[in-house]
Amino acid sequence: YYTTQFDYANLGEKVPKKTALAMLQSVVDRFLNIAIINSGKDYCIIREMGEPTAKEFDNSLRRIFLVIFQMFDRIIEVIKENETGNKGICKELHTIDLNIDKFVDYCCRIMNRIETSIPENKKSLLFSTLFILELIGDEFKYIGKHLAVTKKTLKDVLPLIERVREYFEIYYQLFYKFERIKAVDLGKNDVEVYNKYFEIKKKVNGESKSIARHVMLISKLTLVLAELRIEMEMG
């Protein structure tokens, strides 16, 4: 609702009014395996279509990571190809982020309802992991708004984005195959990303500086995710 009513309006788009059913449909569309199965003049029936499974949990969790990589690659492509100044980029990244929201919600629903391969005493850590992954997706939405409002080149911030993508990939590998040496490597990379951010921050301004702040926050959230993963392994 916030995106369509305010973000797009700020980019100059006229937002049409929605009927109650259309509004409910947009909410239902945010959830996987949920549908409006019947509706009338003053009612609608919403139902879960089928029972979730542990395999769907594993697939959905993996998909969250892949969508985040997709968002990294898309903003890198936009900057390299100078595709900025287009509100379509903002809407595209918002749409991609909606997939993260869907998969996060679905994983939470599954964990609340069925047995998974995750031990019960570590579920709270995984819930926290899911919520932080969703926050990372939100940062890409904010970057999308900055890409949409400038036609200037943003290539000066590209090295930081590419560096943080590498950093997130180390975490991704650590999440699925925990190795102590990889955890140490991630800590070293955190320092390198921090240094890269301050090196670039001195040289950039305007939208580049704003994007750099969002990318830096992605790296800080990634470090928190790594700490949660270590706790899952050692706790």
Side-chain angles (χ1 to χ4, degrees), residues 8-231:
Y8 295 168
N10 289 337
L11 293 173
E13 182 171 302
K14 292 184 178 180
V15 182
K17 292 184 178 180
K18 287 185 176 183
T19 64
L21 183 60
M23 189 65 193
L24 284 169
Q25 184 66 64
S26 66
V27 173
V28 170
D29 288 344
R30 191 187 184 284
F31 298 95
L32 290 175
N33 212 28
I34 298 288
I36 295 176
I37 63 167
N38 195 6
S39 63
K41 182 179 179 181
D42 55 2
Y43 76 93
C44 72
I45 298 173
I46 301 170
R47 181 172 295 169
E48 186 168 22
M49 311 300 290
E51 290 293 322
T53 66
K55 183 177 180 180
E56 287 174 329
F57 173 85
D58 294 334
N59 291 339
S60 296
L61 179 57
R62 178 82 68 170
R63 186 63 188 156
I64 294 169
F65 287 107
L66 298 181
V67 174
I68 289 175
F69 282 122
Q70 180 187 358
M71 296 179 86
F72 265 119
D73 293 339
R74 186 62 182 120
I75 64 171
I76 289 171
E77 180 184 34
V78 167
I79 294 173
K80 282 184 175 179
E81 300 299 324
N82 290 317
E83 296 177 10
T84 54
N86 178 1
K87 67 182 179 183
I89 297 298
C90 178
K91 296 179 75 171
E92 179 184 347
L93 288 170
H94 282 199
T95 301
I96 296 172
D97 174 62
L98 186 58
N99 289 323
I100 294 179
D101 298 339
K102 288 180 179 180
F103 287 120
V104 167
D105 289 336
Y106 196 41
C107 285
C108 290
R109 279 162 52 204
I110 292 174
M111 279 203 296
N112 277 325
R113 292 182 55 184
I114 68 171
E115 292 288 333
T116 66
S117 58
I118 307 298
E120 198 66 31
N121 64 332
K122 295 182 180 178
K123 278 190 176 181
S124 62
L125 296 171
L126 190 52
F127 274 119
S128 297
T129 295
L130 289 165
F131 294 143
I132 293 171
L133 287 169
E134 186 171 347
L135 290 177
I136 286 178
D138 290 341
E139 290 304 310
F140 285 104
K141 285 197 303 187
Y142 306 143
I143 290 172
K145 286 191 286 186
H146 293 295
L147 295 174
V149 299
T150 182
K151 292 187 177 181
K152 294 181 180 180
T153 180
L154 299 170
K155 291 184 179 179
D156 46 9
V157 79
L158 198 56
L160 178 64
I161 300 171
E162 292 175 329
R163 189 68 187 80
V164 173
R165 188 197 186 284
E166 294 171 2
Y167 183 55
F168 186 81
E169 187 160 6
I170 295 172
Y171 162 69
Y172 171 62
Q173 295 169 357
L174 181 73
F175 183 86
Y176 281 102
K177 186 179 180 182
F178 187 88
E179 297 176 356
R180 288 174 181 266
I181 191 168
K182 199 164 290 182
V184 173
D185 187 40
L186 195 140
K188 292 178 180 177
N189 273 265
D190 178 66
V191 175
E192 292 175 12
V193 169
Y194 199 81
N195 291 335
K196 175 66 71 175
Y197 169 69
F198 280 99
E199 174 190 328
I200 288 176
K201 184 182 177 182
K202 296 175 183 177
K203 303 175 183 177
V204 301
N205 51 49
E207 301 303 329
S208 288
K209 181 169 283 188
S210 297
I211 290 172
R213 284 197 297 267
H214 289 298
V215 173
M216 189 60 186
L217 184 52
I218 290 173
S219 79
K220 294 293 100 181
L221 290 171
T222 301
L223 180 62
V224 174
L225 287 170
E227 291 171 347
L228 288 169
R229 183 62 184 88
I230 293 170
E231 179 63 24

